[in-house]
Amino acid sequence: MNFSIIRVARTILNVTDLDKSRAFYVDALGFIETERTDEHIYLRGLEEAHHHSLILQKAENPSVEAIGYKVEKEEDLNELEIFLKSKGMKMKWMEAGTQHALGRTLRVQDISGLPMEFFCKMDKAERLLQRFDLHRGSRVQRIDHVNCSVPNVQKAHDFYVKELGFVCSEDTIDEAGHLWATWLHRKQTVHDQAFMNGVGPKLHHIGFWLPDPLAIIHACDVLASLGYAQSIERGPGRHGLSNAFFLYLRDPDGHRIELYNGDYLTSDPDNEPIHWDLDDPRRQTFWGAKAPDSWFDEASVVLDIITREEVLLEDPILEKKKPEFMI
Amino acid sequence: MNFSIIRVARTILNVTDLDKSRAFYVDALGFIETERTDEHIYLRGLEEAHHHSLILQKAENPSVEAIGYKVEKEEDLNELEIFLKSKGMKMKWMEAGTQHALGRTLRVQDISGLPMEFFCKMDKAERLLQRFDLHRGSRVQRIDHVNCSVPNVQKAHDFYVKELGFVCSEDTIDEAGHLWATWLHRKQTVHDQAFMNGVGPKLHHIGFWLPDPLAIIHACDVLASLGYAQSIERGPGRHGLSNAFFLYLRDPDGHRIELYNGDYLTSDPDNEPIHWDLDDPRRQTFWGAKAPDSWFDEASVVLDIITREEVLLEDPILEKKKPEFMI
Amino acid sequence: MNFSIIRVARTILNVTDLDKSRAFYVDALGFIETERTDEHIYLRGLEEAHHHSLILQKAENPSVEAIGYKVEKEEDLNELEIFLKSKGMKMKWMEAGTQHALGRTLRVQDISGLPMEFFCKMDKAERLLQRFDLHRGSRVQRIDHVNCSVPNVQKAHDFYVKELGFVCSEDTIDEAGHLWATWLHRKQTVHDQAFMNGVGPKLHHIGFWLPDPLAIIHACDVLASLGYAQSIERGPGRHGLSNAFFLYLRDPDGHRIELYNGDYLTSDPDNEPIHWDLDDPRRQTFWGAKAPDSWFDEASVVLDIITREEVLLEDPILEKKKPEFMI
Amino acid sequence: MNFSIIRVARTILNVTDLDKSRAFYVDALGFIETERTDEHIYLRGLEEAHHHSLILQKAENPSVEAIGYKVEKEEDLNELEIFLKSKGMKMKWMEAGTQHALGRTLRVQDISGLPMEFFCKMDKAERLLQRFDLHRGSRVQRIDHVNCSVPNVQKAHDFYVKELGFVCSEDTIDEAGHLWATWLHRKQTVHDQAFMNGVGPKLHHIGFWLPDPLAIIHACDVLASLGYAQSIERGPGRHGLSNAFFLYLRDPDGHRIELYNGDYLTSDPDNEPIHWDLDDPRRQTFWGAKAPDSWFDEASVVLDIITREEVLLEDPILEKKKPEFMI
Ligand SMILES: [Ca+2]
Ligand SMILES: [Fe+2]
Ligand SMILES: [Fe+2]
Ligand SMILES: [Fe+2]
Ligand SMILES: [Fe+2]
């Protein structure tokens, strides 16, 4: 490859009520509001030195406009364009300034139909890591990963690994030997991007990194105090996969957020992927608790990068089941 | 009253396989084994300066032989005898030395049929609180409370409050105004003794105090590492009632253990009981997670203090339901 | 004795700048402000169901007006009056309402010259333990103890134990066998009241209970973020004595506050006091860090209950030294 | 550059008593012992999937034999050889198998005289991250960084940044504008390698990553329980620089170990180095505690890669001072 992707960097969520969303993300979860306009709220975590990692965008219906990746240098965007054009993928450029606080951006409907974007420059913002007086709620530090539901995990996996340079840290194989789910990274954590077998393309959840396990417990307490107990969908618990301590939440529009802490360094080229067997009970959720049906059945629809219509959904190629160790 | 009860002090559990039980309580949960004989394992927490707070006793079938309370002075036992005799309750004395490491003890089948015992003296043991090198698993500190399922909570409540001097810290009232559950204390915590509406008399669980919330998370991790994921029945979570951070476990015989941290001081005579409404959704388990059926349906049978037969069970006088805030 | 003291319940600190003090106690440490007037700020911890446990009172110079204890019932105050009068101690009554939110109060200059007060009734306030959205800074839960510097520890000890019914949990003996320091409790914790050998009578510090050890680390972080790094005098560390995890702070007037978590239950009449040897290096501060000179040399002056003048100071009867295990 | 360095990967410490060292590192700190021979103990952290990250090697006197870095591929070692030879640096090859569990290794006396080594292959070992039953003491996860004292920080900085491809995350500048200390990384954390102004070349400390802040507090408790209170040299505290929560220990030979948790992700090419001013009081140790003299004055000597003699020490080119914010 002639380009270098750094990491997952942001997501644009369409939400139906900015005030309701702000109460959830800022007042309860403790995201920092970098900026707010009539149509947008720009949020970042306490560690983040860029303008935002999450955009809440006013819309008629909940959906996902884009999942954004940061590349190493401007030229990488040109190389990515050449490569993606060679694959015949639907693309568009958004010139610098078209999107607030962002340099020029290449949008593409990826191999699974997901609306991805690549950019190099985002305005900087103050890292508030040492403004402990501003730490609230879950004390969100930074975006960690996105997890998407797609009909053909093997196809998505191959494209991201062989064509885009992602590395697999862990995966899940069904009894017939098919790839059921895969955890892929560019930065040196367990993942930037996960794909799992399901109706899709959909965004299953966005994972945010927290400073320590007690921040997740405090997040539950604050959420419950503010009337958001119903927003806690699953957890807290320990993932077998990735080893992270986790909590899954549903925002006021149903978008799923994961609070996440405790995976491991994946810097080494000889790091061997961990293979989990879909039906091995020992590999299920580490503490044994079951995920609720909603966690398997619901996810956020995504938009076409050109028409802004919802992307049509397809059924997964592997029989649908409910493994309990997915993260 | 002419006697003074200090606190709940121990429980005697009949278990079917001492080695299996030891692996669970000592190797996984981190209880300190004070002594082991062919028939008994004597366990204590890291803070406890007495010989034991839990006895595992070899038996054919799992059951509860006794729930023990410590009184202030030897004379209190005589006063208790006079009082209980006046109530016509089934009693027996066990002279000092009859029970290992214990002074003379008054056993009684209480108003609900529970096998209670009262004693003043137990052999001392080293408090290992500052032997942090010996802290393992859940780092159990001390016995905190027992929770019993009884057919008539109001009757049990009245006896313990009016006749034995317990104080109510919190309770739960059903829609008809009946007392559904009650939390009673002698020591200055939320409870030594809870009663809740159900088939009984049964021991629902024994609660042990932990040093901090992370000890509960670490306990889950260690349990899962050692193959005890299936022993985690409910939690971790925050109780609305008592405010404690909790985890419920089932030991190899199905006896239920609660790991518990974070209630509040109840020293003040003007402390007002908190009344929870059985059907108020805001008063349910603080973070909203539901308890599994087993948590409502299963509990340990108790023995007759004279015959050592299982005490016959009665159905509860209030309609059985599954409120989710019980602790 | 014919009276029953429940626990230490409040302290009245004279401070020179209410705004500065409020910034420290409320904005940084997270105390709840129940009420503020021109002359007073009334503070409580998150667990406390009474109006306040700390009063900041506008004054020309920093000092301590009173250390308040709560008794079980109103009649106890009369019994205390009779007893203290029999000892010839300086006393005065303050009728109900004289002090905001407080019932009638008996003030006394105690055996060491400390301005103590006893009351039964204080207005109730909402317990905010489960309003986790309001937890800030150190998440102060409740007042735990006061520690006073007095010239004759043995005299103070004997008075509180033999005449007032306190129980000793731990103490420190110098090489000649003299009582150097003593930890005394009424409620079932390690102490309500400590006395240590030094120039006095003075208030050395007020200890507040925190929910867990991470709350102390977060308190340090928040204090430093807000410019209060210089207010951190000692710690964080583990006490050998009491086993608590601690931090000592100096407020804007130099009053010393201890944040404290992790001692043990002292409910049992057969709890044996732990005796620490002043010169035994193994009994020093558990992790070995030394306390700064200021911690030994500085403490808050106290006022005469009648004249409101500063009480004259006396040198300690035992040679002054700097043991490092005092808490 | 035609080579790619991945991360700091191990250190070889000469120690005078293997049993004493083992008691400290394994029994107290919780390192996993992969293997022990007559002359060596091979240690790794719970997260590490390679044979070791620390070697304790029996020797007459304490010293540092080598600081090892892992490169991306075997060919990188050849490229490194060509480059270092072009700089006229002292080098030697150690063929695969010469060092236990290690592939061929290029040793070099670096620009400051430090004994560095580069290798690509080390035997794999089981990652024990999810064997929570084996987590002990400080629950060490992985090697994080080494910090070296050198006479000319600017020279070391330039060599590692311009010639070896390290990136600066933070640095410290004295009042004259000279580079006093620098934090350099290859993996995506704040540092793999720090240099600070001092007598050198010396190894100041090795930093190990811990899972959360409470692991540091528990480490202090366990160390003190086992009689190692005197081994705690500094902390616990929060670094201004790097933001990590830290503790410094001295092993039985005086080698300094840092326990470390809580820095931030440095994946982004546009991450801007944070410049700290040596004399700015606001930039000192975040909570304000001072480091002891020993922390500034003592460090481990290093060996010549050919002669195995101690490398001669030089005074620093910048006037020696004691800034308190170094980490
Ligand atoms: Ca109640
Ligand atoms: Fe995830
Ligand atoms: Fe309970
Ligand atoms: Fe104290
Ligand atoms: Fe360091």
Side-chain angles (χ1 to χ4, degrees), chain C residues 213-214 217 220-221 224-225 229-230 232 236 238 245 282 286-288, chain D residues 213-214 217 220-221 224-225 229-230 232 236 238 245 282 286-288:
Chain C
L214 275 192
I217 295 173
C220 292
D221 285 333
S225 293
Q230 298 313 311
I232 301 176
R238 171 81 60 194
F245 188 61
R282 262 193 61 79
F286 200 61
W287 302 345
Chain D
L214 275 192
I217 295 172
C220 292
D221 286 332
S225 293
Q230 298 313 312
I232 301 177
R238 171 80 60 194
F245 189 59
R282 264 193 59 78
F286 201 60
W287 301 346

Short mmCIF file of all heavy atoms in Angstrom, two decimals, chain C residues 213-214 217 220-221 224-225 229-230 232 236 238 245 282 286-288, chain D residues 213-214 217 220-221 224-225 229-230 232 236 238 245 282 286-288:
data_model
loop_
_atom_site.label_atom_id
_atom_site.label_comp_id
_atom_site.label_asym_id
_atom_site.label_seq_id
_atom_site.Cartn_x
_atom_site.Cartn_y
_atom_site.Cartn_z
N PRO C 213 -10.56 4.17 48.05
CA PRO C 213 -9.22 4.77 47.92
C PRO C 213 -9.05 5.64 46.67
O PRO C 213 -8.34 6.65 46.70
CB PRO C 213 -8.28 3.55 47.83
CG PRO C 213 -9.04 2.43 48.46
CD PRO C 213 -10.49 2.70 48.17
N LEU C 214 -9.72 5.28 45.58
CA LEU C 214 -9.55 6.10 44.37
C LEU C 214 -10.11 7.50 44.56
O LEU C 214 -9.68 8.43 43.88
CB LEU C 214 -10.21 5.44 43.16
CG LEU C 214 -9.37 4.42 42.42
CD1 LEU C 214 -10.01 4.06 41.09
CD2 LEU C 214 -7.95 4.92 42.18
N ILE C 217 -7.20 9.63 45.46
CA ILE C 217 -6.34 9.95 44.32
C ILE C 217 -7.01 11.01 43.45
O ILE C 217 -6.37 11.97 43.02
CB ILE C 217 -6.05 8.66 43.52
CG1 ILE C 217 -5.23 7.70 44.40
CG2 ILE C 217 -5.31 8.98 42.23
CD1 ILE C 217 -5.04 6.34 43.78
N CYS C 220 -6.65 14.41 45.03
CA CYS C 220 -5.34 15.01 44.76
C CYS C 220 -5.31 15.63 43.36
O CYS C 220 -4.82 16.75 43.16
CB CYS C 220 -4.23 13.97 44.84
SG CYS C 220 -3.93 13.33 46.50
N ASP C 221 -5.83 14.91 42.40
CA ASP C 221 -5.82 15.39 41.02
C ASP C 221 -6.65 16.67 40.86
O ASP C 221 -6.23 17.62 40.20
CB ASP C 221 -6.38 14.30 40.09
CG ASP C 221 -5.37 13.18 39.84
OD1 ASP C 221 -4.15 13.43 39.93
OD2 ASP C 221 -5.81 12.05 39.55
N ALA C 224 -4.92 19.61 42.61
CA ALA C 224 -3.80 20.11 41.82
C ALA C 224 -4.29 20.87 40.60
O ALA C 224 -3.75 21.93 40.25
CB ALA C 224 -2.89 18.95 41.40
N SER C 225 -5.35 20.36 39.96
CA SER C 225 -5.91 21.04 38.79
C SER C 225 -6.37 22.45 39.13
O SER C 225 -6.30 23.35 38.31
CB SER C 225 -7.11 20.26 38.23
OG SER C 225 -6.71 19.03 37.71
N ALA C 229 -2.22 22.38 44.90
CA ALA C 229 -1.17 21.38 45.19
C ALA C 229 -0.48 21.70 46.51
O ALA C 229 -0.12 20.81 47.28
CB ALA C 229 -0.16 21.33 44.04
N GLN C 230 -0.29 22.98 46.79
CA GLN C 230 0.37 23.36 48.04
C GLN C 230 -0.46 23.03 49.27
O GLN C 230 0.04 23.05 50.40
CB GLN C 230 0.73 24.85 48.04
CG GLN C 230 1.71 25.24 46.94
CD GLN C 230 2.90 24.29 46.83
OE1 GLN C 230 3.55 23.98 47.83
NE2 GLN C 230 3.17 23.79 45.62
N ILE C 232 -1.78 20.15 49.78
CA ILE C 232 -1.55 18.74 50.13
C ILE C 232 -0.32 18.67 51.03
O ILE C 232 0.79 18.94 50.61
CB ILE C 232 -1.34 17.88 48.86
CG1 ILE C 232 -2.56 17.99 47.95
CG2 ILE C 232 -1.05 16.43 49.24
CD1 ILE C 232 -2.42 17.24 46.63
N PRO C 236 -0.79 10.88 49.58
CA PRO C 236 -1.55 9.78 50.15
C PRO C 236 -0.67 8.66 50.66
O PRO C 236 0.43 8.47 50.18
CB PRO C 236 -2.42 9.31 48.99
CG PRO C 236 -1.66 9.67 47.77
CD PRO C 236 -0.94 10.95 48.12
N ARG C 238 -0.85 4.89 53.55
CA ARG C 238 -1.60 3.98 54.39
C ARG C 238 -1.16 4.18 55.83
O ARG C 238 0.05 4.18 56.12
CB ARG C 238 -1.29 2.53 53.98
CG ARG C 238 -1.83 1.44 54.90
CD ARG C 238 -3.27 1.11 54.67
NE ARG C 238 -3.50 0.66 53.31
CZ ARG C 238 -4.71 0.56 52.76
NH1 ARG C 238 -5.79 0.89 53.44
NH2 ARG C 238 -4.84 0.15 51.52
N PHE C 245 -6.40 4.43 54.51
CA PHE C 245 -5.72 5.12 53.42
C PHE C 245 -6.05 6.60 53.63
O PHE C 245 -7.20 6.97 53.85
CB PHE C 245 -6.27 4.61 52.09
CG PHE C 245 -5.52 5.10 50.89
CD1 PHE C 245 -4.17 4.81 50.73
CD2 PHE C 245 -6.17 5.82 49.90
CE1 PHE C 245 -3.48 5.25 49.60
CE2 PHE C 245 -5.49 6.26 48.78
CZ PHE C 245 -4.14 5.98 48.63
N ARG C 282 8.94 -0.69 62.70
CA ARG C 282 7.91 -1.45 61.98
C ARG C 282 6.53 -0.85 62.16
O ARG C 282 5.61 -1.17 61.41
CB ARG C 282 7.86 -2.89 62.53
CG ARG C 282 8.64 -3.91 61.71
CD ARG C 282 8.26 -5.32 62.14
NE ARG C 282 6.84 -5.56 61.92
CZ ARG C 282 6.32 -5.83 60.73
NH1 ARG C 282 7.07 -5.90 59.67
NH2 ARG C 282 5.02 -6.04 60.61
N PHE C 286 2.81 3.10 57.45
CA PHE C 286 2.89 1.75 56.92
C PHE C 286 3.82 1.63 55.72
O PHE C 286 4.56 0.66 55.60
CB PHE C 286 1.49 1.24 56.59
CG PHE C 286 1.40 -0.25 56.49
CD1 PHE C 286 1.69 -1.06 57.58
CD2 PHE C 286 1.01 -0.86 55.32
CE1 PHE C 286 1.61 -2.45 57.50
CE2 PHE C 286 0.93 -2.26 55.22
CZ PHE C 286 1.24 -3.05 56.31
N TRP C 287 3.81 2.62 54.83
CA TRP C 287 4.66 2.53 53.65
C TRP C 287 6.00 3.21 53.86
O TRP C 287 6.81 3.30 52.92
CB TRP C 287 3.98 3.16 52.43
CG TRP C 287 2.67 2.56 52.06
CD1 TRP C 287 2.14 1.38 52.47
CD2 TRP C 287 1.70 3.13 51.16
NE1 TRP C 287 0.91 1.17 51.88
CE2 TRP C 287 0.62 2.23 51.08
CE3 TRP C 287 1.64 4.31 50.41
CZ2 TRP C 287 -0.49 2.48 50.28
CZ3 TRP C 287 0.53 4.56 49.62
CH2 TRP C 287 -0.52 3.65 49.56
N GLY C 288 6.22 3.76 55.04
CA GLY C 288 7.54 4.28 55.36
C GLY C 288 7.78 5.75 55.07
O GLY C 288 8.82 6.29 55.43
N PRO D 213 -4.83 2.45 38.79
CA PRO D 213 -4.18 3.12 39.92
C PRO D 213 -4.22 2.33 41.22
O PRO D 213 -3.28 2.37 42.02
CB PRO D 213 -4.97 4.43 40.08
CG PRO D 213 -5.59 4.67 38.74
CD PRO D 213 -5.88 3.30 38.18
N LEU D 214 -5.29 1.58 41.45
CA LEU D 214 -5.37 0.82 42.70
C LEU D 214 -4.30 -0.25 42.78
O LEU D 214 -3.91 -0.66 43.88
CB LEU D 214 -6.75 0.20 42.88
CG LEU D 214 -7.81 1.09 43.51
CD1 LEU D 214 -9.03 0.27 43.91
CD2 LEU D 214 -7.29 1.85 44.72
N ILE D 217 -1.51 1.23 44.71
CA ILE D 217 -1.77 1.29 46.16
C ILE D 217 -1.63 -0.10 46.77
O ILE D 217 -1.02 -0.27 47.82
CB ILE D 217 -3.19 1.87 46.40
CG1 ILE D 217 -3.21 3.32 45.93
CG2 ILE D 217 -3.56 1.77 47.88
CD1 ILE D 217 -4.59 3.94 45.94
N CYS D 220 2.01 -0.98 47.19
CA CYS D 220 2.59 -0.39 48.41
C CYS D 220 2.23 -1.23 49.63
O CYS D 220 3.07 -1.49 50.49
CB CYS D 220 2.07 1.04 48.61
SG CYS D 220 2.65 2.22 47.40
N ASP D 221 0.98 -1.61 49.71
CA ASP D 221 0.52 -2.40 50.87
C ASP D 221 1.23 -3.74 50.95
O ASP D 221 1.66 -4.16 52.03
CB ASP D 221 -1.00 -2.61 50.78
CG ASP D 221 -1.79 -1.35 51.10
OD1 ASP D 221 -1.28 -0.51 51.87
OD2 ASP D 221 -2.92 -1.22 50.61
N ALA D 224 4.91 -3.25 51.91
CA ALA D 224 5.06 -2.96 53.34
C ALA D 224 4.80 -4.20 54.18
O ALA D 224 5.50 -4.45 55.15
CB ALA D 224 4.11 -1.83 53.74
N SER D 225 3.80 -4.99 53.79
CA SER D 225 3.50 -6.22 54.54
C SER D 225 4.68 -7.17 54.55
O SER D 225 4.90 -7.88 55.52
CB SER D 225 2.31 -6.95 53.90
OG SER D 225 1.13 -6.22 54.04
N ALA D 229 8.99 -1.72 53.01
CA ALA D 229 8.62 -0.29 53.08
C ALA D 229 9.81 0.58 52.70
O ALA D 229 9.67 1.61 52.03
CB ALA D 229 8.10 0.06 54.47
N GLN D 230 11.00 0.16 53.09
CA GLN D 230 12.19 0.96 52.77
C GLN D 230 12.51 0.96 51.28
O GLN D 230 13.31 1.77 50.80
CB GLN D 230 13.41 0.47 53.56
CG GLN D 230 13.25 0.59 55.06
CD GLN D 230 12.71 1.93 55.50
OE1 GLN D 230 13.20 2.97 55.06
NE2 GLN D 230 11.67 1.93 56.32
N ILE D 232 10.32 1.62 49.02
CA ILE D 232 9.49 2.65 48.38
C ILE D 232 10.24 3.98 48.46
O ILE D 232 10.43 4.53 49.53
CB ILE D 232 8.12 2.76 49.07
CG1 ILE D 232 7.39 1.41 49.01
CG2 ILE D 232 7.29 3.87 48.43
CD1 ILE D 232 6.05 1.40 49.74
N PRO D 236 3.29 7.08 46.20
CA PRO D 236 2.64 7.28 44.91
C PRO D 236 2.27 8.74 44.66
O PRO D 236 2.07 9.51 45.58
CB PRO D 236 1.37 6.42 45.02
CG PRO D 236 1.08 6.35 46.48
CD PRO D 236 2.42 6.38 47.16
N ARG D 238 1.10 11.63 41.09
CA ARG D 238 0.72 11.85 39.71
C ARG D 238 1.86 12.63 39.05
O ARG D 238 2.29 13.66 39.57
CB ARG D 238 -0.57 12.68 39.64
CG ARG D 238 -0.97 13.17 38.24
CD ARG D 238 -1.65 12.14 37.39
NE ARG D 238 -2.88 11.68 38.03
CZ ARG D 238 -3.54 10.59 37.64
NH1 ARG D 238 -3.11 9.84 36.64
NH2 ARG D 238 -4.63 10.23 38.28
N PHE D 245 0.14 7.98 36.90
CA PHE D 245 0.16 7.72 38.33
C PHE D 245 1.35 6.80 38.56
O PHE D 245 1.52 5.82 37.84
CB PHE D 245 -1.15 7.06 38.73
CG PHE D 245 -1.35 6.92 40.21
CD1 PHE D 245 -1.36 8.04 41.03
CD2 PHE D 245 -1.56 5.68 40.79
CE1 PHE D 245 -1.56 7.91 42.41
CE2 PHE D 245 -1.76 5.55 42.16
CZ PHE D 245 -1.75 6.68 42.97
N ARG D 282 4.44 25.64 38.52
CA ARG D 282 3.19 24.98 38.10
C ARG D 282 3.43 23.67 37.38
O ARG D 282 2.52 22.87 37.22
CB ARG D 282 2.41 25.89 37.15
CG ARG D 282 1.33 26.72 37.81
CD ARG D 282 0.41 27.32 36.78
NE ARG D 282 -0.23 26.29 35.95
CZ ARG D 282 -1.27 25.55 36.34
NH1 ARG D 282 -1.79 25.73 37.53
NH2 ARG D 282 -1.77 24.64 35.54
N PHE D 286 2.86 16.88 39.90
CA PHE D 286 1.51 17.42 39.81
C PHE D 286 0.89 17.73 41.16
O PHE D 286 0.22 18.73 41.32
CB PHE D 286 0.63 16.46 39.01
CG PHE D 286 -0.59 17.11 38.44
CD1 PHE D 286 -0.49 18.18 37.55
CD2 PHE D 286 -1.86 16.68 38.79
CE1 PHE D 286 -1.63 18.78 37.03
CE2 PHE D 286 -3.00 17.28 38.27
CZ PHE D 286 -2.88 18.33 37.40
N TRP D 287 1.10 16.89 42.15
CA TRP D 287 0.51 17.10 43.46
C TRP D 287 1.44 17.87 44.39
O TRP D 287 1.13 18.06 45.57
CB TRP D 287 0.13 15.78 44.13
CG TRP D 287 -0.82 14.94 43.38
CD1 TRP D 287 -1.60 15.32 42.31
CD2 TRP D 287 -1.15 13.57 43.63
NE1 TRP D 287 -2.36 14.26 41.90
CE2 TRP D 287 -2.11 13.18 42.68
CE3 TRP D 287 -0.71 12.64 44.57
CZ2 TRP D 287 -2.64 11.89 42.65
CZ3 TRP D 287 -1.24 11.36 44.54
CH2 TRP D 287 -2.20 10.99 43.58
N GLY D 288 2.63 18.21 43.91
CA GLY D 288 3.49 19.07 44.70
C GLY D 288 4.49 18.38 45.62
O GLY D 288 5.34 19.04 46.19
#
